[in-house]
Amino acid sequence: MTSTPTAQDRVRQLVVTLAYLVCVLGALLGVGLLGGEEVEDASGGALSAESTLVAPAGPAFSIWSVIYVGLTLYLVLQWLPPWAAQPRQREIGYLAAASMVLNAAWIGAVQVDRLWLSVLVIVVLLVVLCRIIVVLARDRGRHPFEAIAVDATFGLYLGWVVVATAANLAAALADAGFEGGPLGPEPWAVAVCLLVAVVGVLLALRLGARLAPAAAMVWGLCWVAVARSSGQPRSTVTTVAALAAAVVVAVATFALRVRRR
């Protein structure tokens, strides 16, 4: 299936493993198990579900459990003989490692109340994940284990980070006193939801209408709608905009998949 692993492959595998450990330590810090605050309480609560109109409700973050399980499967897969020297794994290995370290760095930035640094980190993370998915889209995983551990994992990772980037930027702006400028809070929130929908459609066009990124984006947008319809601050306008954005991403992805077939 693939060639014999080289010394460079072994170095890459070790780097990915170390990055995974950093990622896990960051996650433990982010849930308060290593002395840190939970993310929603860090930075003075700037990232809580009540901080802005585009903040997702708390249960939305349960998607991280799925992503972390997927990253664990990816860690195992990249050590297995069939994939250790696979060209696909060689191309994404260091990018995957970077994504895991950036994830931990984002949690660290939030823990020390550096919201704008967290925005910079998550934007870089978004770029790295986009690059990973572009690489994966060239030649999709043929084995079910690879499809789940690599394609689905990083697809979900990317889709969620798109929504999280929008929420993170909105939180940093709100913390700095920005409330929508001339648009006002609700039109600003609608604009953010529209931007996320546009990004979702562009990703579907560029990446061959992959389901995992779209699913994560729809998940995040729906939880924004839940937060604004059942929590504070309430906003019917934002609820409708978030649901409409979720529908646009879902419909565009499925329509493009049908068209491709």
Side-chain angles (χ1 to χ4, degrees):
M1 182 177 179
T2 56
S3 58
T4 302
T6 64
Q8 288 81 6
D9 290 320
R10 297 310 186 196
V11 171
R12 186 195 72 247
Q13 290 169 318
L14 287 172
V15 169
V16 169
T17 302
L18 291 173
Y20 172 82
L21 294 175
V22 171
C23 183
V24 170
L25 289 174
L28 294 176
L29 180 67
V31 296
L33 293 181
L34 293 180
E37 295 181 287
E38 292 189 23
V39 169
E40 63 179 9
D41 297 324
S43 295
L47 296 168
S48 68
E50 295 80 28
S51 60
T52 70
L53 289 176
V54 293
F61 296 92
S62 61
I63 193 174
W64 276 116
S65 299
V66 179
I67 294 171
Y68 284 129
V69 169
L71 290 175
T72 303
L73 295 176
Y74 164 70
L75 174 69
V76 173
L77 176 139
Q78 58 104 38
W79 278 103
L80 296 177
W83 292 282
Q86 185 193 54
R88 201 168 184 247
Q89 303 308 319
R90 286 173 171 168
E91 195 164 359
I92 71 165
Y94 288 109
L95 291 169
S99 77
M100 289 186 270
V101 172
L102 286 166
N103 183 21
W106 182 88
I107 294 173
V110 170
Q111 291 291 323
V112 296
D113 299 337
R114 295 293 185 267
L115 272 179
W116 284 106
L117 177 59
S118 74
V119 171
L120 174 61
V121 172
I122 202 170
V123 168
V124 176
L125 173 58
L126 179 60
V127 172
V128 170
L129 290 171
C130 283
R131 179 58 186 167
I132 290 173
I133 300 301
V134 166
V135 172
L136 295 179
R138 294 177 191 160
D139 181 21
R140 302 201 176 201
R142 295 178 176 83
H143 193 282
F145 183 38
E146 183 182 359
I148 293 172
V150 182
D151 297 76
T153 294
F154 287 101
L156 290 174
Y157 199 174
L158 171 61
W160 172 251
V161 168
V162 170
V163 177
T165 300
N168 196 171
L169 178 58
L173 288 170
D175 187 67
F178 180 78
E179 297 182 353
L183 292 178
E186 288 190 316
W188 164 245
V190 170
V192 172
C193 291
L194 175 61
L195 177 61
V196 173
V198 170
V199 171
V201 173
L202 290 176
L203 287 176
L205 287 167
R206 177 67 179 84
L207 304 176
R210 300 172 78 89
L211 292 178
M217 293 181 69
V218 169
W219 170 268
L221 288 165
C222 286
W223 280 107
V224 170
V226 170
R228 299 291 69 82
S229 62
S230 61
Q232 296 297 328
R234 294 207 176 197
S235 172
T236 301
V237 171
T238 306
T239 299
V240 173
L243 289 175
V247 170
V248 167
V249 173
V251 170
T253 301
F254 279 109
L256 287 167
R257 286 182 71 85
V258 171
R259 181 181 178 183
R260 289 178 69 245
R261 292 181 178 180

